Amino acid sequence: MIFPSLDASYQFYVEYANKGGFSVRKGSQTEKNGFIQYKYFICSKEGSKPQKKFDSLEEFHQGKKQKKYRNRPSIRTGCLAQIPLCSTDGGKSYKINKFIEEHNHTLISQEDMHFLPSSRNLTVMQQKRLYSLSTLNLGPVRSFNILRTIYGGFDDVGVTAADCKNYKRNINCDIGEFDAEMIVQRLLNKKEYFHDFSFDYTVDESGCLTGLFWADELCKKNFLTFSDVISFDATFNTNKYKMVFVLFTGIDNHFHNVNLGAGLIAKETIESYTWLLTCFLKAFGRPKVVVTDQDPAMKQAIESVFIESRLGPHCVTMRTLSVVFVT
């Protein structure tokens, strides 16, 4: 048989292995003149793993750490089933040079084929669903359980929970250091298409994100309807980026909290709070009353941004709250 590429020949051998009851992997190759001349596709149980001859309870010292080792079982049985391919016209097509069919191990039944590595493959639709579920703060295991419910069982999904974890890991590796640029670009696109969407950000000298503020149309509608009292407070390094999350909230006619915007700052300093409140002032205007805790940085930032603000006749001391009236 002749194939137009190595990928086509590998896919053919994978389909043959799925019907035969074994798994395949890519073996060694030989290159010549800048292209692959010989390539081996072999059974996943080819070769053997050397066994370590020592007691599993014996302790070995590596540097300052003390570890215990043990022998782990191996699936390798020295199987010789394979298909070597050779190039026929300078890497443009490949021909099966030999076919070794016999296996020295028991083949897998069709009910268990979805557990073999070469049979597990996330389709494009499954990848899109996993990505959509990750945007809802659902982890890979919960996403796999949702897929299992949709497809009707473990056998029909075609992958395992570990494959979903690996897919999420690969996404994080692809994002790498561009996660801040991605969120900024996403919010810039929203600002372009939604005229009532407010967004601003700031970076330091090295280009790292130090401040982020956003508010959508619903936040502005809540502010216009319930703008008498607003409150904002900061969390304490609750994310992996060690940034402080600041949420602006208000109270509606039913005494329920409503969102009025949110932001991220690198540090709880006067400069950071001043920048954040300036963004809020540009997006919403001045509120009538601001309720915060007794943070000195917040107090000075409020006085510098809301110039005409003044402290009320008394401060609410319960739970260390302070009220600032804006005239």
Side-chain angles (χ1 to χ4, degrees):
M1 298 183 65
I2 300 177
F3 300 93
S5 64
L6 288 176
D7 294 335
S9 58
Y10 178 73
Q11 186 62 32
F12 165 78
Y13 198 43
V14 168
E15 294 177 359
Y16 169 79
N18 291 338
K19 295 183 179 181
F22 65 98
S23 179
V24 301
R25 58 186 175 91
K26 298 179 180 179
S28 60
Q29 63 186 24
T30 303
E31 297 183 3
K32 183 179 180 181
N33 297 328
F35 65 92
I36 299 176
Q37 186 177 11
Y38 295 98
K39 182 67 177 180
Y40 293 86
F41 296 137
I42 57 180
C43 177
S44 60
K45 294 182 179 294
E46 185 270 344
S48 61
K49 180 180 178 181
Q51 296 291 326
K52 300 178 181 179
K53 297 181 179 180
F54 56 81
D55 189 0
S56 61
L57 297 179
E58 186 178 355
E59 297 179 353
F60 287 83
H61 296 275
Q62 291 184 353
K64 297 181 180 180
K65 295 183 179 180
Q66 190 173 3
K67 297 182 179 180
K68 294 182 179 180
Y69 294 86
R70 62 182 177 85
N71 282 323
R72 295 184 178 182
S74 175
I75 64 172
R76 303 291 179 87
T77 61
C79 183
L80 299 178
Q82 59 180 299
I83 54 168
L85 293 100
C86 63
S87 175
T88 57
D89 51 359
K92 296 182 180 180
S93 61
Y94 291 88
K95 179 181 66 174
I96 295 180
N97 194 21
K98 186 190 297 184
F99 174 57
I100 301 178
E101 183 181 4
E102 297 181 358
H103 296 264
N104 62 354
H105 56 87
T106 304
L107 300 179
I108 307 299
S109 62
Q110 291 297 325
E111 290 78 8
D112 299 330
M113 282 300 300
H114 62 280
F115 291 110
L116 297 180
S118 61
S119 301
R120 302 197 305 262
N121 184 24
L122 281 170
T123 62
V124 178
M125 184 60 65
Q126 290 175 343
Q127 293 178 3
K128 290 183 177 180
R129 287 182 176 177
L130 289 175
Y131 177 76
S132 300
L133 293 173
S134 65
T135 58
L136 301 176
N137 293 330
L138 294 178
V141 177
R142 289 189 177 182
S143 301
F144 172 75
N145 292 331
I146 294 176
L147 292 178
R148 176 176 58 84
T149 304
I150 293 175
Y151 286 92
F154 292 97
D155 301 343
D156 299 326
V157 178
V159 295
T160 61
D163 296 324
C164 298
K165 293 180 181 179
N166 295 336
Y167 174 71
K168 185 64 181 340
R169 178 205 59 196
N170 295 336
I171 291 180
N172 295 334
C173 292
D174 292 337
I175 292 175
E177 299 179 355
F178 302 99
D179 46 0
E181 296 181 5
M182 293 177 63
I183 187 62
V184 169
Q185 187 62 40
R186 182 182 181 90
L187 294 178
L188 285 175
N189 294 336
K190 285 190 175 183
K191 186 177 181 179
E192 181 179 357
Y193 291 102
F194 300 98
H195 63 281
D196 289 335
F197 186 81
S198 297
F199 162 68
D200 199 358
Y201 71 98
T202 180
V203 296
D204 57 7
E205 297 178 354
S206 60
C208 296
L209 185 68
T210 58
L212 190 67
F213 172 81
W214 69 94
D216 57 6
E217 181 180 0
L218 181 59
C219 294
K220 294 184 177 181
K221 183 178 180 181
N222 292 334
F223 179 79
L224 293 176
T225 308
F226 320 106
S227 61
D228 294 337
V229 181
I230 71 166
S231 173
F232 74 98
D233 196 6
T235 60
F236 182 76
N237 297 340
T238 57
N239 50 73
K240 68 177 183 179
Y241 301 100
K242 305 300 181 182
M243 296 189 72
V244 181
F245 178 72
V246 182
L247 180 64
F248 295 88
T249 58
I251 301 176
D252 60 7
N253 295 332
H254 303 282
F255 299 101
H256 294 164
N257 294 332
V258 291
N259 293 330
L260 301 178
L264 289 171
I265 54 178
K267 297 180 181 180
E268 294 187 75
T269 59
I270 300 175
E271 293 77 11
S272 300
Y273 282 123
T274 301
W275 175 85
L276 188 63
L277 292 177
T278 303
C279 296
F280 183 87
L281 183 63
K282 293 179 181 179
F284 296 93
R286 288 189 305 159
K288 295 182 179 180
V289 180
V290 180
V291 180
T292 64
D293 57 9
Q294 293 180 354
D295 190 331
M298 287 185 182
K299 182 179 179 181
Q300 297 186 33
I302 293 174
E303 292 177 354
S304 62
V305 176
F306 302 133
I307 302 176
E308 300 179 359
S309 63
R310 61 181 177 85
L311 289 177
H314 64 278
C315 294
V316 182
T317 58
M318 183 178 296
R319 296 183 181 178
T320 65
L321 294 179
S322 61
V323 183
V324 177
F325 296 91
V326 182
T327 58

